[in-house]
C-alpha cells in the first residue's frame, strides 16, 4: 500500500518523522511537507508564487520532499506532480497539539487531510495533545492499527480527525468515536512597540468555554481516550436550508 505523509509543523518536525518511520514498516511511504512550520494556515493554497520542491535527507538517507507552500499545496503537488501513483491513504501529522473543536478549522494538519479527501483519497489527520508534553510514542504505534483497519475496509473515501492524549501507552483507556465540540476563545491582542516605536499586536487568547460530554472530541482526549471524529468539508447547513425555504428572499 502507498501512503502520503504530510503535516503542517514542517518536514523537520518530530511528529512527521515518527509517523513516516512507523508507517514505513508496513507501507511504501512518500513524505511531502512544508519546508517550514505552517501551523494554523487552514486550507490556504499558493497561486501567485512558484512552488519549489527540494529533497530532504535525514542521517544521509532520503527522507522526503520539502515544499515552500502550505499543507494543502503539499497534498495537491504530491498527487499532481510528485507521486507516480495516487496514494491509498493520506496521513497528516503527527501534529504537535490537539486539533479538537474549532481548532480543526484553522488547522493546516486537518486541511491537508481535507485536501486528500477532496481528491477522493482516504485521509486521516492525526494530532497529539500538548497537555502531558506532546508524546508521540503511542500515536506512532496507533497509526499502524488504524491503517490496518482502513486497509481491511479497502481504504474507503473518508476523512477522520484523530486526536491522541499525551500519556503513556498503558494508560490509554481505548478509542472513542466523537463529534467536534463547540469551543469559545476570548482573543486577546498584546499591544507592543517595536524598536522604532511602531505599534504591533500579538494574538493570544484563552479558552472560555469548551463543550463537555462523553461523545465530544476534547473530553475523550482529556479522559485518556483516542478520539476519532469523522468530518466533512461540505459546509452546507442542511437544517437551516430547510428552514430558509419558508423565508421570502425575493421581496
Ligand atoms: Mn501544527
Amino acid at each position: 500500500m502507498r501512503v502520503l505523509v504530510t503535516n503542517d509543523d514542517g518536514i523537520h518536525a518530530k511528529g512527521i518523522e515518527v509517523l513516516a518511520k512507523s508507517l514505513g514498516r508496513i507501507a511504501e511511504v512518500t513524505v511531502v511537507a512544508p519546508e517550514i512550520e505552517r501551523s494554523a494556515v487552514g486550507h490556504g493554497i499558493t497561486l501567485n508564487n512558484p512552488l519549489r520542491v527540494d529533497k530532504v535527507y535525514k542521517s544521509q538517507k532520503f527522507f522526503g520532499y520539502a515544499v515552500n507552500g502550505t499543507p494543502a499545496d503539499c497534498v495537491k503537488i504530491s498527487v499532481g506532480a510528485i507521486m507516480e501513483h495516487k496514494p491509498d491513504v493520506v496521513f497528516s501529522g503527527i501534529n504537535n497539539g490537539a486539533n479538537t473543536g474549532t481548532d480543526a478549522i484553522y488547522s493546516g494538519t486537518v486541511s491537508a487531510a481535507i485536501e486528500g479527501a477532496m481528491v477522493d483519497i482516504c485521509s486521516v489527520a492525526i494530532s497529539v495533545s500538548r497537555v502531558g508534553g506532546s508524546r508521540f510514542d503511542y500515536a506512532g504505534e496507533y497509526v499502524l492499527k488504524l491503517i490496518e483497519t482502513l486497509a481491511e475496509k479497502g481504504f474507503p473515501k473518508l476523512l477522520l480527525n484523530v486526536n491522541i492524549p499525551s500519556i503513556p501507552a498503558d494508560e490509554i483507556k481505548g478509542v472513542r468515536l466523537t463529534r467536534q465540540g463547540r469551543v469559545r476563545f476570548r482573543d486577546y491582542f498584546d499591544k507592543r512597540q517595536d524598536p522604532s516605536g511602531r505599534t504591533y499586536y500579538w494574538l493570544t487568547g484563552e479558552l472560555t468555554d469548551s463543550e463537555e460530554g462523553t461523545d465530544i472530541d476534547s473530553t475523550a482526549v482529556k479522559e485518556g481516550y483516542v478520539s476519532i471524529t469523522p468530518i466533512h468539508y461540505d459546509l452546507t447547513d442542511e437544517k437551516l436550508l430547510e428552514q430558509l425555504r419558508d423565508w421570502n428572499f425575493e421581496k
Side-chain angles (χ1 to χ4, degrees):
M1 64 193 145
R2 273 187 292 271
V3 184
L4 169 61
V5 164
T6 189
N7 76 346
D8 74 355
D9 291 340
I11 196 153
H12 300 290
K14 184 176 175 197
I16 198 168
E17 198 170 333
V18 171
L19 182 59
K21 205 167 162 188
S22 190
L23 292 173
R25 278 154 54 185
I26 55 152
E28 189 188 313
V29 171
T30 305
V31 177
V32 182
E35 61 182 0
I36 54 166
E37 183 180 345
R38 303 300 302 271
S39 288
V41 298
H43 209 103
I45 54 170
T46 304
L47 293 178
N48 296 314
N49 288 299
L51 283 177
R52 300 192 190 279
V53 179
D54 288 312
K55 285 184 174 174
V56 169
Y57 294 81
K58 289 190 183 181
S59 313
Q60 274 102 49
K61 263 183 70 187
F62 175 65
F63 177 69
Y65 301 92
V67 179
N68 64 335
T70 65
D73 284 330
C74 289
V75 175
K76 269 191 190 297
I77 203 167
S78 299
V79 175
I82 298 175
M83 296 180 81
E84 216 171 295
H85 305 279
K86 208 167 167 177
D88 296 303
V89 55
V90 173
F91 266 89
S92 178
I94 302 166
N95 190 60
N96 181 6
N99 276 306
T100 50
T102 46
D103 286 352
I105 300 290
Y106 301 103
S107 169
T109 302
V110 173
S111 286
I114 290 175
E115 188 62 42
M118 283 166 74
V119 289
D120 299 329
I121 303 169
C122 177
S123 296
V124 179
I126 184 158
S127 309
V128 294
S129 174
R130 283 215 177 102
V131 181
S134 303
R135 298 180 62 120
F136 294 99
D137 50 345
Y138 180 73
E141 290 303 311
Y142 185 69
V143 292
L144 293 173
K145 294 186 197 176
L146 189 55
I147 200 169
E148 198 182 301
T149 305
L150 296 173
E152 271 169 24
K153 299 291 179 191
F155 296 113
K157 286 185 221 168
L158 54 70
L159 179 52
L160 302 178
N161 184 22
V162 180
N163 285 281
I164 295 184
S166 285
I167 53 178
D170 58 355
E171 289 174 27
I172 300 275
K173 289 194 188 130
V175 179
R176 263 192 206 160
L177 292 173
T178 56
R179 61 187 70 247
Q180 185 183 341
R182 281 185 294 275
V183 178
R184 256 177 235 284
F185 284 92
R186 193 180 67 95
D187 287 343
Y188 175 70
F189 286 91
D190 202 352
K191 189 178 177 184
R192 302 176 184 182
Q193 277 198 332
D194 71 14
S196 48
R198 280 177 19 206
T199 300
Y200 67 95
Y201 296 87
W202 204 305
L203 172 63
T204 62
E206 57 177 350
L207 191 64
T208 55
D209 182 33
S210 177
E211 193 180 4
E212 297 277 336
T214 49
D215 66 337
I216 300 300
D217 50 8
S218 56
T219 307
V221 172
K222 207 159 66 186
E223 293 181 350
Y225 291 85
V226 171
S227 161
I228 298 183
T229 312
I231 56 175
H232 56 188
Y233 54 86
D234 176 350
L235 300 178
T236 313
D237 184 336
E238 298 287 346
K239 223 165 89 187
L240 186 57
L241 181 62
E242 283 315 304
Q243 287 169 13
L244 292 184
R245 292 195 198 283
D246 296 332
W247 293 28
N248 183 4
F249 286 99
E250 306 274 357
K251 70 180 174 208

